[in-house]
Amino acid sequence: MKHLLDTHDLSIDDIVNILDVADRMAEVNRRQVPKVPALKGKTIATVFFEDSTRTRLSFETAARRLSADVLTFLASSSSVNKGESLRDTIETLSAMGVQAFVVRHKSSGVPLQLSQWTDASVINAGDGWHQHPTQGLLDAYTITREFGTPTSLAGRTVAIVGDIKHSRVARSNIDLFTRLGARVVLVAPPSLLPSHVETWPVDVRSTMDDVIDNVDVVYLLRMQLERMQSASIPNLAEYTRLYALTPERAAVLQDHALLMHPGPMNRGVEITVDPADVAGSRILQQVTNGVSIRMAVLFTLLGGDSVSSLTAGGEA
Amino acid sequence: MTTTAVDILGADDVSRAITRISHEIVERNPALDSVVIVGMQTGGTWIAKRLCESVNKIVEGANVPLGAIDISLYRDDYSLRPVVLSAPTDIPVDLTGRTVVLVDDVLFTGRTVRAALEALNDYGRPRAVQLAVMVDRGHRELPIRPDYVGKNIPTHFSDEVAVGPNGVTVSAVAT
């Protein structure tokens, strides 16, 4: 595996393998000294053309815990403002000796395009409405580990609630969850569902109350407040009434049900209950797991150049 | 190309070696309660387990803990071999101030042991680290020597050495 651009590129074996490697990384992260020399000498550049503090810091933490060097490129403070093209930016960084680019961009397909301009590995850290593969992997990791079924989500129902249409997180999660065997239910007003949703391998419900008492996972998406301007929903109060996780709805969750959110949360919009009061909340665990998953992805892409012909016989 | 396999040790020899090494561990470590036996994943773990059981049988009331360490994240030769993470690390006690008996099946170039020494330090600062191996086959590339050896076996660099509870086999690949 050279790049991580889209969850659809991963086979089930790839997915299970990354989750398995993440278990090892989680063990590293629990140590007194959470750092191993696995990627010593590698340079990883985080290239963010769209603001995202938590994803960038998660990747940078992951890279440092594997002893890689990290370059941070923020478009907001770079020569992009002087008119430098995407291609020149990536070729310049490549020339400095970067082995992997972690890319976030508001336009779908930018990481794929960049992967054609560099010999380095490219990891999609979110592109437009398209994909956010490491978020999907960390969410699949969180759920499989919580339920103690490391290779499957068979028999589980996950409700993904909110703005599905504009959500790359939803697209990555739907693909991974369904291929691991889960049933996915989308809960959203019709205006926030993608066109052709009927061709997706999911069920659709129009209010939270239809699903809240019979799902294994409630996955809330961030209600992007800027959507208000495009008139996708009449007003936030209406959205909150029908789709938010309220204390009343939290009270009817099944005992084992998990509450998840990719962050950052809009308290009072998609969630009006304090997650600290919901026993099944794994929102902070998702953040912790995110570092382990990103370590696993970096290690899988960069850890082995796999020239096995040089190995000698027996134990070294 | 032909392969010839020679059995060097049988199951009884392996058992005797484990018993002998466990006595040596007891003799060299009067403060047995500070000892922890750590097997290297995956070849050294079964030997470590049997050493640990044997030591705890020799000394009445002894309760030497058993651990396991995976060094795949510490190797210096990623570019030379495919990445295979073996079974996980499990260190049950803080190693600071302890005497660690590190256990592997075969001592060869010494690079695995080097990586293990680095890995152990991330779990605390041991007072001392001793090395026990079932087979020392030579060809060291680093200044590392074992404290306890089951059997010294001269080999060619390209030989394959297989160690298990049922014995030790050296396979020579002749062209």
Side-chain angles (χ1 to χ4, degrees):
Chain A
M1 196 166 32
K2 166 103 182 183
H3 307 293
L4 178 61
L5 303 173
D6 186 328
T7 55
H8 295 85
D9 298 337
L10 298 170
S11 69
I12 285 288
D13 283 349
D14 291 335
I15 295 164
V16 170
N17 182 54
I18 290 171
L19 302 189
D20 184 43
V21 175
D23 278 334
R24 306 307 166 72
M25 299 306 175
E27 186 273 320
V28 171
N29 289 332
R30 285 193 297 269
R31 295 184 199 169
Q32 229 170 5
V33 184
K35 185 160 182 147
V36 289
L39 295 185
K40 197 161 72 179
K42 308 277 188 189
T43 302
I44 293 163
T46 54
V47 184
F48 278 60
F49 295 96
E50 186 183 75
D51 290 341
S52 160
T53 308
R54 66 172 61 209
T55 304
R56 182 172 58 78
L57 290 180
S58 180
F59 268 108
E60 293 181 358
T61 303
R64 291 196 172 99
R65 288 190 177 170
L66 294 171
S67 303
D69 295 311
V70 176
L71 297 178
T72 304
F73 178 94
L74 296 175
S76 51
S77 60
S78 77
S79 47
V80 167
N81 291 335
K82 300 178 189 166
E84 187 180 49
S85 76
L86 212 53
R87 183 167 190 160
D88 286 338
T89 300
I90 224 69
E91 286 181 349
T92 301
L93 288 167
S94 292
M96 292 179 190
V98 168
Q99 279 78 41
F101 290 99
V102 177
V103 180
R104 156 84 48 111
H105 200 285
K106 68 180 190 305
S107 298
S108 302
V110 166
L112 172 65
Q113 176 68 75
L114 295 184
S115 73
Q116 292 158 359
W117 289 335
T118 172
D119 291 332
S121 291
V122 175
I123 298 166
N124 182 358
D127 60 333
W129 305 350
H130 174 225
Q131 278 274 322
H132 192 353
T134 57
Q135 180 74 44
L137 288 165
L138 80 88
D139 290 331
Y141 181 78
T142 302
I143 301 171
T144 53
R145 269 52 185 173
E146 286 295 334
F147 290 138
T149 53
T151 59
S152 167
L153 291 175
R156 298 293 176 184
T157 299
V158 181
I160 302 179
V161 186
D163 183 359
I164 313 290
K165 182 177 182 176
H166 303 97
S167 173
R168 54 193 170 217
V169 172
R171 285 173 178 77
S172 290
N173 277 352
I174 291 165
D175 176 48
L176 290 174
F177 294 172
T178 55
R179 282 202 290 144
L180 287 169
R183 171 175 168 259
V184 173
V185 183
L186 305 183
V187 183
S191 57
L192 293 179
L193 286 169
S195 55
H196 304 297
V197 70
E198 66 280 0
T199 65
W200 290 18
V202 296
D203 294 332
V204 178
R205 295 288 182 275
S206 51
T207 77
M208 265 289 238
D209 294 318
D210 295 342
V211 301
I212 189 69
D213 58 354
N214 58 35
V215 295
D216 300 297
V217 179
V218 177
Y219 196 102
L220 302 176
L221 295 172
R222 194 169 80 88
M223 186 60 209
Q224 293 171 300
L225 301 177
E226 55 271 27
R227 301 294 169 227
M228 286 299 296
Q229 293 155 0
S230 61
S232 293
I233 54 171
N235 62 62
L236 281 179
E238 173 85 357
Y239 179 86
T240 300
R241 193 171 63 79
L242 290 171
Y243 300 100
L245 186 70
T246 59
E248 295 74 30
R249 290 187 178 120
V252 300
L253 283 169
Q254 300 189 73
D255 287 344
H256 69 272
L258 306 180
L259 167 62
M260 297 170 64
H261 190 298
M265 278 184 285
N266 289 314
R267 287 179 191 255
V269 181
E270 69 265 11
I271 183 161
T272 62
V273 64
D274 186 339
D277 294 337
V278 180
S281 174
R282 294 297 178 272
I283 294 172
L284 289 175
Q285 188 63 43
Q286 287 173 271
V287 178
T288 303
N289 290 347
V291 175
S292 300
I293 277 288
R294 287 167 182 129
M295 290 168 76
V297 166
L298 291 170
F299 183 70
T300 302
L301 296 184
L302 300 180
D305 298 334
S306 300
V307 188
S308 54
S309 59
L310 289 176
T311 57
E315 286 293 303
Chain B
M1 197 167 94
T2 55
T3 304
T4 52
V6 182
D7 295 334
I8 305 284
L9 298 180
D12 288 350
D13 301 319
V14 169
S15 292
R16 271 193 297 275
I18 287 171
T19 306
R20 175 174 52 77
I21 292 173
S22 53
H23 277 97
E24 290 173 7
I25 290 172
V26 171
E27 285 161 20
R28 282 205 31 189
N29 296 285
L32 201 60
D33 53 359
S34 74
V35 170
V36 52
I37 295 180
V38 175
M40 288 167 59
Q41 294 283 14
T42 52
T45 48
W46 69 271
I47 303 171
K49 180 162 180 286
R50 285 180 58 179
L51 280 175
C52 194
E53 289 164 358
S54 181
V55 165
N56 285 333
K57 210 183 294 174
I58 292 167
V59 181
E60 204 178 324
N63 192 17
V64 172
L66 174 68
I69 193 152
D70 169 37
I71 55 92
S72 21
L73 296 171
Y74 294 82
R75 297 204 65 100
D76 60 4
D77 56 356
Y78 286 119
S79 53
L80 305 185
R81 54 172 71 216
V83 179
V84 182
L85 291 187
S86 43
T89 293
D90 172 29
I91 302 289
V93 292
D94 182 357
L95 297 184
T96 303
R98 292 269 188 167
T99 296
V100 176
V101 178
L102 190 62
V103 183
D104 204 359
D105 52 357
V106 181
L107 180 59
F108 185 19
T109 61
R111 289 180 190 271
T112 312
V113 174
R114 183 213 59 79
L117 292 172
E118 190 179 348
L120 283 176
N121 260 329
D122 286 350
Y123 294 88
R125 181 182 179 280
R127 194 185 66 77
V129 180
Q130 300 167 357
L131 177 63
V133 297
M134 183 55 66
V135 172
D136 182 352
R137 59 169 295 188
H139 302 285
R140 213 81 74 243
E141 294 171 358
L142 295 169
I144 282 170
R145 55 149 187 80
D147 298 275
Y148 314 100
V149 184
K151 176 92 175 155
N152 284 293
I153 304 176
T155 60
H156 287 288
F157 191 83
S158 59
D159 290 348
E160 304 229 353
V161 179
V163 176
N166 292 323
V168 173
T169 305
V170 175
S171 306
V173 181
T175 48

